[in-house]
Amino acid sequence: MWYLIPGLGADERVFRGLQLPGPATVLRWLPPLSPTEPLRHYAARLAEAVPPGQPCWLVGVSFGGLLALEVGRLRPLARVVLISSLADARQLPPLLKLGRATGLHRLVPFGLLPRLPRLAQWFFGARNGREYHLLARILRDTDPAFARWATRQLLHWDSAGVPTAVRLHGTHDRLLPAGAARIDYPLPGAGHFMIVSHAGAISRVLQKLA
């Protein structure tokens, strides 16, 4: 069984190009109980959809990768796959570390992001056409309050003790650059939106893992 966790504000639309070697369920985002709900508490609520005694795969994309690791703490029979995500809080890129240290992330006008789709396109590495229009719709549908909560959780994530994971990452990821961190399956030329742009290559890796 495969459980798929999309990136911040995204949903099952980003997984439509995947060809998985088994049944799959997309874990939908839940509204945070408060602006300060801890990530582990949120993950425990998300994990209720994953039977404790079921061997399975948890596939997390971007911010969804953090949730996949946190759910993995609670489901020891699960194996975690990270796509365009971080395996450790120390892998935060310098710009995000600066935002955490200065608190500037609190000033980000999340409600304006849908009005800047071309800037987002550059950061995400989405190509023109279907990818660009899908990204624009995802930005439009993202709840600013949820984005603010998720950003805070990302910047203050305590990753100590999370399970090991298989990592797939694009070599041209501008949003979360891989840096010097270990990548099991680097995808040459892929950006942060590779779950859509490189769905075929990702599918082949997941089929091989199974």
Side-chain angles (χ1 to χ4, degrees):
M1 185 67 185
W2 297 77
Y3 292 95
L4 312 177
I5 308 177
L8 195 163
D11 53 29
E12 68 276 358
R13 289 175 289 185
V14 299
F15 297 117
R16 287 176 180 169
L18 288 186
Q19 298 292 325
L20 296 172
T25 295
V26 177
L27 299 186
R28 295 177 177 269
W29 293 116
L30 306 169
L33 296 180
S34 74
T36 58
E37 181 181 11
L39 190 66
R40 291 191 188 182
H41 188 276
Y42 184 94
R45 294 198 291 127
L46 204 65
E48 293 176 3
V50 182
Q54 180 187 63
C56 63
W57 292 87
L58 296 169
V59 180
V61 178
S62 191
F63 179 68
L66 277 63
L67 269 300
L69 289 167
E70 291 296 337
V71 172
R73 291 185 196 263
L74 306 172
R75 298 294 185 265
L77 296 182
R79 296 184 64 185
V80 179
V81 178
L82 303 177
I83 298 175
S84 306
S85 190
L86 308 176
D88 188 298
R90 292 172 294 184
Q91 295 166 0
L92 272 177
L95 183 60
L96 293 182
K97 289 181 179 179
L98 176 64
R100 178 179 61 192
T102 60
L104 288 176
H105 66 282
R106 293 192 291 268
L107 303 179
V108 175
F110 290 101
L112 292 180
L113 292 182
R115 303 180 186 179
L116 304 171
R118 289 297 178 182
L119 178 61
Q121 180 186 24
W122 184 84
F123 270 111
F124 280 80
R127 296 173 293 200
N128 283 320
R130 183 179 66 89
E131 295 175 22
Y132 168 74
H133 291 296
L134 175 58
L135 176 61
R137 290 196 299 271
I138 289 173
L139 290 174
R140 181 195 63 203
D141 296 341
T142 299
D143 177 11
F146 180 83
R148 191 171 293 108
W149 171 83
T151 300
R152 183 179 186 277
Q153 299 305 316
L154 170 65
L155 296 183
H156 297 280
W157 181 40
D158 179 5
S159 62
V162 296
T164 57
V166 177
R167 297 189 69 198
L168 290 74
H169 214 95
T171 61
H172 284 46
D173 192 320
R174 297 187 179 102
L175 196 63
L176 292 178
R182 177 186 61 82
I183 303 297
D184 300 289
Y185 295 94
L187 271 67
H192 195 70
F193 209 46
M194 71 178 194
I195 187 62
V196 174
S197 63
H198 291 66
I202 293 172
S203 295
R204 289 189 288 274
V205 172
L206 298 181
Q207 290 164 10
K208 181 166 61 174
L209 292 176

